[in-house]
mmCIF file of all heavy atoms in Angstrom:
data_model
loop_
_atom_site.group_PDB
_atom_site.id
_atom_site.type_symbol
_atom_site.label_atom_id
_atom_site.label_comp_id
_atom_site.label_asym_id
_atom_site.label_seq_id
_atom_site.Cartn_x
_atom_site.Cartn_y
_atom_site.Cartn_z
ATOM 1 N N ALA Y 6 169.594 90.627 185.447
ATOM 2 C CA ALA Y 6 169.527 91.393 184.198
ATOM 3 C C ALA Y 6 168.094 91.474 183.693
ATOM 4 O O ALA Y 6 167.634 92.541 183.247
ATOM 5 C CB ALA Y 6 170.422 90.741 183.145
ATOM 6 N N ASP Y 7 167.356 90.341 183.761
ATOM 7 C CA ASP Y 7 165.949 90.364 183.356
ATOM 8 C C ASP Y 7 165.138 91.298 184.244
ATOM 9 O O ASP Y 7 164.239 92.007 183.773
ATOM 10 C CB ASP Y 7 165.364 88.953 183.418
ATOM 11 C CG ASP Y 7 165.939 88.040 182.356
ATOM 12 O OD1 ASP Y 7 166.614 88.540 181.442
ATOM 13 O OD2 ASP Y 7 165.722 86.822 182.444
ATOM 14 N N LEU Y 8 165.433 91.282 185.537
ATOM 15 C CA LEU Y 8 164.730 92.157 186.476
ATOM 16 C C LEU Y 8 164.948 93.620 186.120
ATOM 17 O O LEU Y 8 163.996 94.416 186.098
ATOM 18 C CB LEU Y 8 165.218 91.878 187.905
ATOM 19 C CG LEU Y 8 164.624 92.735 189.019
ATOM 20 C CD1 LEU Y 8 163.121 92.560 189.099
ATOM 21 C CD2 LEU Y 8 165.271 92.388 190.363
ATOM 22 N N ALA Y 9 166.192 93.980 185.822
ATOM 23 C CA ALA Y 9 166.489 95.366 185.443
ATOM 24 C C ALA Y 9 165.797 95.743 184.137
ATOM 25 O O ALA Y 9 165.262 96.855 184.004
ATOM 26 C CB ALA Y 9 168.003 95.550 185.309
ATOM 27 N N ASP Y 10 165.788 94.821 183.185
ATOM 28 C CA ASP Y 10 165.125 95.092 181.903
ATOM 29 C C ASP Y 10 163.633 95.336 182.097
ATOM 30 O O ASP Y 10 163.060 96.282 181.537
ATOM 31 C CB ASP Y 10 165.328 93.916 180.944
ATOM 32 C CG ASP Y 10 166.792 93.706 180.590
ATOM 33 O OD1 ASP Y 10 167.588 94.644 180.785
ATOM 34 O OD2 ASP Y 10 167.126 92.601 180.132
ATOM 35 N N ASN Y 11 162.988 94.468 182.874
ATOM 36 C CA ASN Y 11 161.546 94.594 183.095
ATOM 37 C C ASN Y 11 161.196 95.881 183.833
ATOM 38 O O ASN Y 11 160.213 96.557 183.485
ATOM 39 C CB ASN Y 11 161.030 93.399 183.880
ATOM 40 C CG ASN Y 11 161.088 92.104 183.097
ATOM 41 O OD1 ASN Y 11 161.085 91.022 183.655
ATOM 42 N ND2 ASN Y 11 161.138 92.176 181.769
ATOM 43 N N LEU Y 12 161.965 96.231 184.848
ATOM 44 C CA LEU Y 12 161.713 97.474 185.585
ATOM 45 C C LEU Y 12 161.907 98.688 184.681
ATOM 46 O O LEU Y 12 161.162 99.669 184.770
ATOM 47 C CB LEU Y 12 162.630 97.562 186.800
ATOM 48 C CG LEU Y 12 162.316 96.606 187.952
ATOM 49 C CD1 LEU Y 12 163.387 96.701 189.030
ATOM 50 C CD2 LEU Y 12 160.941 96.905 188.550
ATOM 51 N N THR Y 13 162.902 98.621 183.806
ATOM 52 C CA THR Y 13 163.123 99.716 182.865
ATOM 53 C C THR Y 13 161.928 99.873 181.931
ATOM 54 O O THR Y 13 161.447 100.990 181.687
ATOM 55 C CB THR Y 13 164.395 99.461 182.039
ATOM 56 O OG1 THR Y 13 165.526 99.378 182.914
ATOM 57 C CG2 THR Y 13 164.624 100.575 181.034
ATOM 58 N N GLY Y 14 161.430 98.756 181.409
ATOM 59 C CA GLY Y 14 160.279 98.817 180.524
ATOM 60 C C GLY Y 14 159.039 99.365 181.214
ATOM 61 O O GLY Y 14 158.297 100.165 180.633
ATOM 62 N N PHE Y 15 158.830 98.946 182.467
ATOM 63 C CA PHE Y 15 157.664 99.440 183.196
ATOM 64 C C PHE Y 15 157.780 100.939 183.459
ATOM 65 O O PHE Y 15 156.798 101.678 183.330
ATOM 66 C CB PHE Y 15 157.520 98.681 184.519
ATOM 67 C CG PHE Y 15 156.288 99.035 185.281
ATOM 68 C CD1 PHE Y 15 155.034 98.629 184.838
ATOM 69 C CD2 PHE Y 15 156.366 99.777 186.450
ATOM 70 C CE1 PHE Y 15 153.890 98.962 185.540
ATOM 71 C CE2 PHE Y 15 155.227 100.114 187.150
ATOM 72 C CZ PHE Y 15 153.981 99.704 186.703
ATOM 73 N N ALA Y 16 158.984 101.401 183.808
ATOM 74 C CA ALA Y 16 159.191 102.833 184.047
ATOM 75 C C ALA Y 16 158.971 103.637 182.772
ATOM 76 O O ALA Y 16 158.347 104.713 182.800
ATOM 77 C CB ALA Y 16 160.600 103.068 184.589
ATOM 78 N N VAL Y 17 159.460 103.132 181.637
ATOM 79 C CA VAL Y 17 159.244 103.811 180.359
ATOM 80 C C VAL Y 17 157.756 103.885 180.048
ATOM 81 O O VAL Y 17 157.238 104.925 179.613
ATOM 82 C CB VAL Y 17 160.001 103.085 179.230
ATOM 83 C CG1 VAL Y 17 159.586 103.628 177.867
ATOM 84 C CG2 VAL Y 17 161.504 103.221 179.422
ATOM 85 N N GLY Y 18 157.035 102.789 180.285
ATOM 86 C CA GLY Y 18 155.594 102.785 180.041
ATOM 87 C C GLY Y 18 154.857 103.781 180.913
ATOM 88 O O GLY Y 18 153.927 104.461 180.447
ATOM 89 N N LEU Y 19 155.251 103.893 182.184
ATOM 90 C CA LEU Y 19 154.623 104.866 183.074
ATOM 91 C C LEU Y 19 154.809 106.286 182.559
ATOM 92 O O LEU Y 19 153.870 107.093 182.554
ATOM 93 C CB LEU Y 19 155.203 104.743 184.483
ATOM 94 C CG LEU Y 19 154.691 103.607 185.375
ATOM 95 C CD1 LEU Y 19 155.424 103.620 186.712
ATOM 96 C CD2 LEU Y 19 153.185 103.718 185.598
ATOM 97 N N VAL Y 20 156.011 106.604 182.137
ATOM 98 C CA VAL Y 20 156.288 107.952 181.640
ATOM 99 C C VAL Y 20 155.459 108.236 180.390
ATOM 100 O O VAL Y 20 154.843 109.309 180.260
ATOM 101 C CB VAL Y 20 157.789 108.121 181.334
ATOM 102 C CG1 VAL Y 20 158.053 109.450 180.636
ATOM 103 C CG2 VAL Y 20 158.600 108.024 182.617
ATOM 104 N N VAL Y 21 155.412 107.276 179.462
ATOM 105 C CA VAL Y 21 154.623 107.459 178.248
ATOM 106 C C VAL Y 21 153.147 107.640 178.586
ATOM 107 O O VAL Y 21 152.455 108.511 178.040
ATOM 108 C CB VAL Y 21 154.811 106.257 177.298
ATOM 109 C CG1 VAL Y 21 153.842 106.340 176.122
ATOM 110 C CG2 VAL Y 21 156.247 106.190 176.805
ATOM 111 N N GLY Y 22 152.635 106.837 179.516
ATOM 112 C CA GLY Y 22 151.239 106.943 179.906
ATOM 113 C C GLY Y 22 150.912 108.275 180.556
ATOM 114 O O GLY Y 22 149.851 108.866 180.296
ATOM 115 N N LEU Y 23 151.804 108.775 181.405
ATOM 116 C CA LEU Y 23 151.563 110.061 182.059
ATOM 117 C C LEU Y 23 151.585 111.211 181.050
ATOM 118 O O LEU Y 23 150.866 112.196 181.215
ATOM 119 C CB LEU Y 23 152.620 110.290 183.150
ATOM 120 C CG LEU Y 23 152.520 109.367 184.365
ATOM 121 C CD1 LEU Y 23 153.681 109.619 185.314
ATOM 122 C CD2 LEU Y 23 151.188 109.559 185.089
ATOM 123 N N VAL Y 24 152.409 111.079 180.007
ATOM 124 C CA VAL Y 24 152.432 112.104 178.962
ATOM 125 C C VAL Y 24 151.138 112.078 178.157
ATOM 126 O O VAL Y 24 150.575 113.125 177.806
ATOM 127 C CB VAL Y 24 153.652 111.896 178.045
ATOM 128 C CG1 VAL Y 24 153.569 112.812 176.828
ATOM 129 C CG2 VAL Y 24 154.941 112.148 178.811
ATOM 130 N N LEU Y 25 150.629 110.883 177.880
ATOM 131 C CA LEU Y 25 149.418 110.753 177.070
ATOM 132 C C LEU Y 25 148.138 111.001 177.871
ATOM 133 O O LEU Y 25 147.088 111.272 177.280
ATOM 134 C CB LEU Y 25 149.344 109.348 176.459
ATOM 135 C CG LEU Y 25 150.439 108.978 175.462
ATOM 136 C CD1 LEU Y 25 150.265 107.539 175.015
ATOM 137 C CD2 LEU Y 25 150.423 109.920 174.269
ATOM 138 N N ARG Y 26 148.226 110.918 179.183
ATOM 139 C CA ARG Y 26 147.040 110.978 180.039
ATOM 140 C C ARG Y 26 146.160 112.203 179.790
ATOM 141 O O ARG Y 26 144.929 112.070 179.684
ATOM 142 C CB ARG Y 26 147.476 110.916 181.508
ATOM 143 C CG ARG Y 26 146.337 110.842 182.504
ATOM 144 C CD ARG Y 26 146.889 110.803 183.935
ATOM 145 N NE ARG Y 26 145.799 110.831 184.884
ATOM 146 C CZ ARG Y 26 145.178 109.758 185.327
ATOM 147 N NH1 ARG Y 26 145.535 108.570 184.884
ATOM 148 N NH2 ARG Y 26 144.192 109.856 186.200
ATOM 149 N N PRO Y 27 146.711 113.425 179.668
ATOM 150 C CA PRO Y 27 145.835 114.588 179.433
ATOM 151 C C PRO Y 27 145.206 114.603 178.039
ATOM 152 O O PRO Y 27 144.280 115.372 177.795
ATOM 153 C CB PRO Y 27 146.777 115.788 179.620
ATOM 154 C CG PRO Y 27 147.991 115.252 180.310
ATOM 155 C CD PRO Y 27 148.121 113.841 179.846
ATOM 156 N N LEU Y 28 145.701 113.773 177.140
ATOM 157 C CA LEU Y 28 145.265 113.830 175.743
ATOM 158 C C LEU Y 28 144.236 112.762 175.383
ATOM 159 O O LEU Y 28 143.606 112.860 174.321
ATOM 160 C CB LEU Y 28 146.486 113.665 174.816
ATOM 161 C CG LEU Y 28 147.671 114.601 175.081
ATOM 162 C CD1 LEU Y 28 148.826 114.249 174.166
ATOM 163 C CD2 LEU Y 28 147.263 116.051 174.922
ATOM 164 N N ILE Y 29 144.048 111.761 176.256
ATOM 165 C CA ILE Y 29 143.196 110.621 175.912
ATOM 166 C C ILE Y 29 142.078 110.493 176.939
ATOM 167 O O ILE Y 29 142.346 110.475 178.145
ATOM 168 C CB ILE Y 29 144.019 109.322 175.880
ATOM 169 C CG1 ILE Y 29 145.165 109.425 174.879
ATOM 170 C CG2 ILE Y 29 143.138 108.127 175.544
ATOM 171 C CD1 ILE Y 29 146.056 108.213 174.852
ATOM 172 N N PRO Y 30 140.815 110.395 176.499
ATOM 173 C CA PRO Y 30 139.715 110.143 177.450
ATOM 174 C C PRO Y 30 139.785 108.710 177.954
ATOM 175 O O PRO Y 30 139.733 107.764 177.163
ATOM 176 C CB PRO Y 30 138.459 110.381 176.600
ATOM 177 C CG PRO Y 30 138.902 110.144 175.192
ATOM 178 C CD PRO Y 30 140.345 110.559 175.117
ATOM 179 N N VAL Y 31 139.913 108.543 179.260
ATOM 180 C CA VAL Y 31 140.102 107.208 179.832
ATOM 181 C C VAL Y 31 138.930 106.759 180.695
ATOM 182 O O VAL Y 31 138.897 105.613 181.136
ATOM 183 C CB VAL Y 31 141.395 107.164 180.674
ATOM 184 C CG1 VAL Y 31 142.615 107.371 179.791
ATOM 185 C CG2 VAL Y 31 141.356 108.208 181.794
ATOM 186 N N GLU Y 32 137.943 107.661 180.946
ATOM 187 C CA GLU Y 32 136.799 107.267 181.758
ATOM 188 C C GLU Y 32 135.818 106.444 180.949
ATOM 189 O O GLU Y 32 135.697 106.613 179.735
ATOM 190 C CB GLU Y 32 136.064 108.497 182.323
ATOM 191 C CG GLU Y 32 136.898 109.358 183.243
ATOM 192 C CD GLU Y 32 137.644 110.428 182.479
ATOM 193 O OE1 GLU Y 32 137.559 110.422 181.228
ATOM 194 O OE2 GLU Y 32 138.330 111.237 183.119
ATOM 195 N N ARG Y 33 135.125 105.550 181.606
ATOM 196 C CA ARG Y 33 134.056 104.799 180.951
ATOM 197 C C ARG Y 33 132.894 105.744 180.689
ATOM 198 O O ARG Y 33 132.492 106.517 181.551
ATOM 199 C CB ARG Y 33 133.579 103.646 181.836
ATOM 200 C CG ARG Y 33 132.558 102.734 181.161
ATOM 201 C CD ARG Y 33 132.219 101.561 182.061
ATOM 202 N NE ARG Y 33 131.381 101.959 183.175
ATOM 203 C CZ ARG Y 33 130.043 101.981 183.142
ATOM 204 N NH1 ARG Y 33 129.402 101.626 182.050
ATOM 205 N NH2 ARG Y 33 129.355 102.341 184.209
ATOM 206 N N ARG Y 34 132.336 105.691 179.486
ATOM 207 C CA ARG Y 34 131.246 106.583 179.107
ATOM 208 C C ARG Y 34 130.016 105.792 178.718
ATOM 209 O O ARG Y 34 130.111 104.681 178.213
ATOM 210 C CB ARG Y 34 131.674 107.513 177.961
ATOM 211 C CG ARG Y 34 132.735 108.511 178.399
ATOM 212 C CD ARG Y 34 133.048 109.520 177.322
ATOM 213 N NE ARG Y 34 133.926 110.555 177.843
ATOM 214 C CZ ARG Y 34 133.516 111.659 178.442
ATOM 215 N NH1 ARG Y 34 132.215 111.877 178.591
ATOM 216 N NH2 ARG Y 34 134.372 112.549 178.905
ATOM 217 N N LEU Y 35 128.862 106.401 178.974
ATOM 218 C CA LEU Y 35 127.592 105.793 178.621
ATOM 219 C C LEU Y 35 127.367 105.904 177.120
ATOM 220 O O LEU Y 35 128.052 106.661 176.434
ATOM 221 C CB LEU Y 35 126.471 106.476 179.398
ATOM 222 C CG LEU Y 35 126.593 106.392 180.928
ATOM 223 C CD1 LEU Y 35 125.487 107.206 181.585
ATOM 224 C CD2 LEU Y 35 126.564 104.952 181.403
ATOM 225 N N PRO Y 36 126.400 105.153 176.560
ATOM 226 C CA PRO Y 36 126.161 105.211 175.109
ATOM 227 C C PRO Y 36 125.959 106.613 174.574
ATOM 228 O O PRO Y 36 126.330 106.920 173.450
ATOM 229 C CB PRO Y 36 124.900 104.348 174.938
ATOM 230 C CG PRO Y 36 124.968 103.370 176.067
ATOM 231 C CD PRO Y 36 125.563 104.136 177.219
ATOM 232 N N GLY Y 37 125.362 107.524 175.357
ATOM 233 C CA GLY Y 37 125.137 108.887 174.894
ATOM 234 C C GLY Y 37 126.365 109.762 174.943
ATOM 235 O O GLY Y 37 126.325 110.919 174.541
ATOM 236 N N GLY Y 38 127.473 109.227 175.467
ATOM 237 C CA GLY Y 38 128.699 109.994 175.545
ATOM 238 C C GLY Y 38 128.949 110.611 176.898
ATOM 239 O O GLY Y 38 130.006 111.194 177.129
ATOM 240 N N ALA Y 39 127.977 110.517 177.820
ATOM 241 C CA ALA Y 39 128.148 111.086 179.149
ATOM 242 C C ALA Y 39 129.034 110.180 179.989
ATOM 243 O O ALA Y 39 129.051 108.970 179.804
ATOM 244 C CB ALA Y 39 126.789 111.254 179.828
ATOM 245 N N PRO Y 40 129.806 110.765 180.940
ATOM 246 C CA PRO Y 40 130.632 109.936 181.816
ATOM 247 C C PRO Y 40 129.765 108.994 182.641
ATOM 248 O O PRO Y 40 128.622 109.300 182.967
ATOM 249 C CB PRO Y 40 131.335 110.965 182.710
ATOM 250 C CG PRO Y 40 131.245 112.253 181.967
ATOM 251 C CD PRO Y 40 129.968 112.195 181.198
ATOM 252 N N ALA Y 41 130.322 107.841 182.981
ATOM 253 C CA ALA Y 41 129.605 106.879 183.812
ATOM 254 C C ALA Y 41 129.466 107.416 185.221
ATOM 255 O O ALA Y 41 130.077 108.411 185.605
ATOM 256 C CB ALA Y 41 130.338 105.546 183.823
ATOM 257 N N ALA Y 42 128.639 106.740 186.023
ATOM 258 C CA ALA Y 42 128.412 107.174 187.393
ATOM 259 C C ALA Y 42 129.723 107.242 188.145
ATOM 260 O O ALA Y 42 130.567 106.362 188.046
ATOM 261 C CB ALA Y 42 127.467 106.195 188.090
ATOM 262 N N GLY Y 43 129.878 108.328 188.921
ATOM 263 C CA GLY Y 43 131.094 108.511 189.692
ATOM 264 C C GLY Y 43 132.166 109.279 188.935
ATOM 265 O O GLY Y 43 133.212 109.563 189.458
ATOM 266 N N GLN Y 44 131.902 109.592 187.654
ATOM 267 C CA GLN Y 44 132.849 110.345 186.856
ATOM 268 C C GLN Y 44 132.173 111.615 186.342
ATOM 269 O O GLN Y 44 131.560 111.615 185.283
ATOM 270 C CB GLN Y 44 133.346 109.501 185.676
ATOM 271 C CG GLN Y 44 134.141 108.288 186.086
ATOM 272 C CD GLN Y 44 135.486 108.677 186.659
ATOM 273 O OE1 GLN Y 44 135.999 109.756 186.374
ATOM 274 N NE2 GLN Y 44 136.056 107.827 187.476
ATOM 275 N N PRO Y 45 132.247 112.720 187.061
ATOM 276 C CA PRO Y 45 131.599 113.946 186.609
ATOM 277 C C PRO Y 45 132.206 114.460 185.334
ATOM 278 O O PRO Y 45 133.385 114.266 185.051
ATOM 279 C CB PRO Y 45 131.869 114.931 187.772
ATOM 280 C CG PRO Y 45 133.084 114.384 188.450
ATOM 281 C CD PRO Y 45 132.986 112.901 188.322
ATOM 282 N N ALA Y 46 131.369 115.091 184.522
ATOM 283 C CA ALA Y 46 131.859 115.668 183.280
ATOM 284 C C ALA Y 46 132.827 116.795 183.565
ATOM 285 O O ALA Y 46 132.822 117.399 184.625
ATOM 286 C CB ALA Y 46 130.672 116.192 182.450
ATOM 287 N N ALA Y 47 133.706 117.068 182.606
ATOM 288 C CA ALA Y 47 134.696 118.111 182.797
ATOM 289 C C ALA Y 47 134.014 119.438 183.057
ATOM 290 O O ALA Y 47 133.140 119.862 182.313
ATOM 291 C CB ALA Y 47 135.587 118.210 181.545
#
């Protein structure tokens, strides 16, 4: 039962994260606001 509960919570979190992903900047940025190395600007 605990296993099912935990898997359910993780699946819910994944769905919420995928919905929020286009709306939240998640890349590391330099002090000036530019993306860090390896992360090209949009």
Side-chain angles (χ1 to χ4, degrees):
D7 291 348
L8 178 61
D10 297 341
N11 292 159
L12 289 174
T13 299
F15 185 71
V17 170
L19 281 178
V20 172
V21 172
L23 291 176
V24 171
L25 296 177
R26 185 181 176 88
L28 308 176
I29 302 177
V31 295
E32 298 89 356
R33 186 176 73 89
R34 292 186 172 272
L35 300 175
Q44 295 290 337

